[in-house]
Amino acid sequence: GGLVMIGAGTGVSPFLGFLDYLAQSSVATRTILITGNRYKELDSIYRGEFSEHHSNGTLGTYWAAHSRDENSTCKYVQDVIKQNMKEVVGYLDEGARVYVCGDAKGLSVGVYEMFCTVLSETKSISEVQAREIIAEMKKEGRYCEDIWS
């Protein structure tokens, strides 16, 4: 099914472990990593490692949002999800697991709301039906959040 990993700030660090594990594994897993930081220059301390995993094929897609950079087309991870909704929803349709990790309640609420929006828009379903899909994913352990404030 694959993995969709979404993290802001230090919340990206668990995903390095996920990718290190996948790199050692013989199981091919499709992956998307979406990171959020204030400035590109101060982007994740793991940018080098993530880029290496991207180069070697362990990390399929790597998108970053930068909230304080004037030229950034995506300010927040939610913007990245919206901009790439067909690809992200495609992963969900294939049974991917979603992991959301980061500092602040705003991240989990914003990402959850954006998933509901993109599911509703891409599948032409109601917001209520989209929330039911996410609720089912949570029940199945396919939508997991690790959030702190």
Side-chain angles (χ1 to χ4, degrees):
L3 292 175
V4 178
M5 302 167 283
I6 302 164
T10 57
V12 301
S13 55
F15 302 136
L16 184 58
F18 284 21
L19 292 166
D20 286 345
Y21 175 80
L22 289 174
Q24 311 275 330
S25 168
S26 58
V27 179
T29 304
R30 290 178 10 118
T31 54
I32 293 176
L33 174 65
I34 303 171
T35 64
N37 279 284
R38 290 190 178 117
Y39 300 99
K40 188 172 185 174
E41 284 72 37
L42 303 175
D43 204 347
S44 169
I45 56 173
Y46 302 116
R47 186 181 357 175
E49 288 93 330
F50 289 143
S51 295
E52 189 175 317
H53 281 300
H54 190 248
S55 296
N56 72 23
T58 305
L59 176 56
T61 304
Y62 180 22
W63 292 312
H66 303 103
S67 61
R68 304 288 191 278
D69 282 349
E70 287 180 28
N71 298 331
S72 179
T73 55
C74 292
K75 298 286 185 188
Y76 300 101
V77 293
Q78 299 93 296
D79 300 332
V80 176
I81 295 167
K82 175 81 170 170
Q83 190 173 64
N84 300 284
M85 64 182 168
K86 286 186 178 145
E87 186 170 350
V88 172
V89 170
Y91 267 67
L92 301 185
D93 287 344
E94 293 169 11
R97 294 179 179 276
V98 175
Y99 293 95
V100 182
C101 188
D103 184 5
K105 290 180 288 184
L107 174 73
S108 66
V109 172
V111 168
Y112 170 80
E113 292 294 333
M114 185 54 72
F115 268 112
C116 292
T117 298
V118 300
L119 281 166
S120 174
E121 288 181 20
T122 58
K123 295 179 170 294
S124 300
I125 59 174
S126 70
E127 285 273 334
V128 171
Q129 290 169 306
R131 290 178 194 285
E132 289 169 359
I133 290 171
I134 300 293
E136 188 63 27
M137 287 178 66
K138 285 183 177 185
K139 199 167 99 178
E140 295 169 353
R142 289 184 41 230
Y143 190 101
C144 304
E145 299 168 305
D146 186 7
I147 305 296
W148 60 90
S149 55

Coordinates of all heavy atoms in Angstrom, one line a residue, residues 2 19 23 30 36 40 46 68 74 83 92 95 120 132 138 143 145 148:
G2 N 2.0 1.3 0.7 CA 2.8 2.4 0.7 C 2.7 3.2 2.0 O 1.9 2.9 2.9
L19 N 12.7 5.2 6.9 CA 13.4 5.1 5.6 C 14.6 4.2 5.7 O 14.9 3.5 4.8 CB 13.7 6.5 5.1 CG 12.4 7.2 4.6 CD1 12.7 8.7 4.4 CD2 11.7 6.6 3.4
A23 N 15.3 0.9 3.6 CA 16.5 0.8 2.8 C 17.2 -0.6 3.1 O 17.8 -1.2 2.1 CB 17.5 1.9 3.1
R30 N 6.2 1.9 -1.7 CA 6.1 3.3 -2.3 C 6.0 4.3 -1.1 O 5.2 4.0 -0.2 CB 4.9 3.4 -3.2 CG 5.0 2.6 -4.5 CD 3.9 2.6 -5.4 NE 2.8 3.5 -5.1 CZ 2.4 4.5 -5.9 NH1 2.9 4.7 -7.0 NH2 1.3 5.3 -5.5
G36 N 7.6 20.1 6.6 CA 7.3 21.6 6.8 C 8.3 22.2 7.7 O 8.6 21.7 8.8
K40 N 13.7 27.4 4.0 CA 14.4 26.4 3.2 C 15.8 26.2 3.7 O 16.3 25.1 3.9 CB 14.4 26.7 1.7 CG 15.0 25.5 0.9 CD 14.8 25.8 -0.6 CE 15.2 24.5 -1.3 NZ 14.9 24.6 -2.7
Y46 N 17.8 16.8 8.7 CA 17.9 15.5 8.0 C 17.8 15.6 6.5 O 17.6 14.6 5.8 CB 16.8 14.5 8.5 CG 16.9 14.3 10.0 CD1 15.9 14.7 10.8 CD2 18.0 13.7 10.6 CE1 15.9 14.4 12.2 CE2 18.1 13.5 11.9 CZ 17.1 13.9 12.7 OH 17.1 13.6 14.1
R68 N 7.8 30.6 6.0 CA 8.3 32.0 6.1 C 9.0 32.4 4.8 O 9.4 33.6 4.7 CB 9.2 32.2 7.3 CG 8.6 31.8 8.6 CD 7.5 32.8 9.1 NE 7.1 32.6 10.4 CZ 6.2 31.7 10.9 NH1 5.6 30.9 10.0 NH2 5.9 31.6 12.1
C74 N 4.3 26.6 -1.5 CA 3.6 25.8 -0.5 C 4.1 26.3 0.9 O 5.3 26.0 1.2 CB 3.7 24.3 -0.6 SG 2.9 23.7 -2.1
Q83 N -2.0 20.7 -3.4 CA -1.3 20.8 -4.7 C -1.1 19.5 -5.4 O -1.1 19.4 -6.6 CB 0.0 21.6 -4.5 CG 0.6 22.0 -5.8 CD 1.8 22.9 -5.6 OE1 2.8 22.4 -5.1 NE2 1.7 24.1 -6.0
L92 N -3.7 6.6 -1.0 CA -4.7 6.2 -0.1 C -5.6 5.1 -0.7 O -5.9 4.1 0.0 CB -5.6 7.4 0.4 CG -4.9 8.6 1.0 CD1 -6.0 9.6 1.5 CD2 -4.0 8.1 2.2
G95 N -4.2 1.7 -0.4 CA -4.1 1.2 1.0 C -2.9 1.7 1.8 O -2.5 1.1 2.8
S120 N -12.8 14.5 -0.6 CA -14.1 15.0 -1.0 C -14.1 15.5 -2.5 O -14.9 15.1 -3.3 CB -14.6 16.1 -0.1 OG -15.8 16.7 -0.6
E132 N -15.7 9.9 7.2 CA -15.9 8.4 7.4 C -14.7 7.6 6.9 O -14.3 6.6 7.6 CB -17.2 8.0 6.8 CG -18.4 8.5 7.6 CD -19.7 8.3 6.8 OE1 -19.7 7.7 5.7 OE2 -20.8 8.7 7.4
K138 N -8.3 5.3 10.5 CA -7.8 5.4 11.9 C -8.1 4.0 12.6 O -7.2 3.5 13.3 CB -8.4 6.5 12.6 CG -7.8 7.9 12.3 CD -8.5 9.0 13.1 CE -7.8 10.3 12.8 NZ -8.3 11.4 13.6
Y143 N -4.1 5.5 9.7 CA -4.0 7.0 9.8 C -3.5 7.2 11.2 O -4.3 7.0 12.2 CB -5.3 7.7 9.5 CG -5.1 9.2 9.4 CD1 -5.1 9.8 8.1 CD2 -5.1 10.0 10.5 CE1 -4.9 11.2 8.1 CE2 -4.9 11.4 10.4 CZ -4.9 11.9 9.2 OH -4.7 13.3 9.1
E145 N -1.3 9.5 14.2 CA -0.8 10.8 14.5 C 0.1 10.7 15.8 O -0.3 10.1 16.7 CB -1.9 11.8 14.8 CG -2.8 12.0 13.6 CD -4.1 12.8 14.0 OE1 -4.8 12.3 14.9 OE2 -4.4 13.8 13.3
W148 N 2.6 16.7 19.6 CA 2.8 17.2 20.9 C 2.8 18.7 20.9 O 2.9 19.3 19.8 CB 4.1 16.7 21.5 CG 5.3 17.1 20.6 CD1 6.0 18.2 20.7 CD2 5.8 16.4 19.5 NE1 7.0 18.2 19.7 CE2 6.9 17.1 18.9 CE3 5.5 15.1 18.9 CZ2 7.6 16.7 17.8 CZ3 6.2 14.7 17.8 CH2 7.3 15.4 17.3

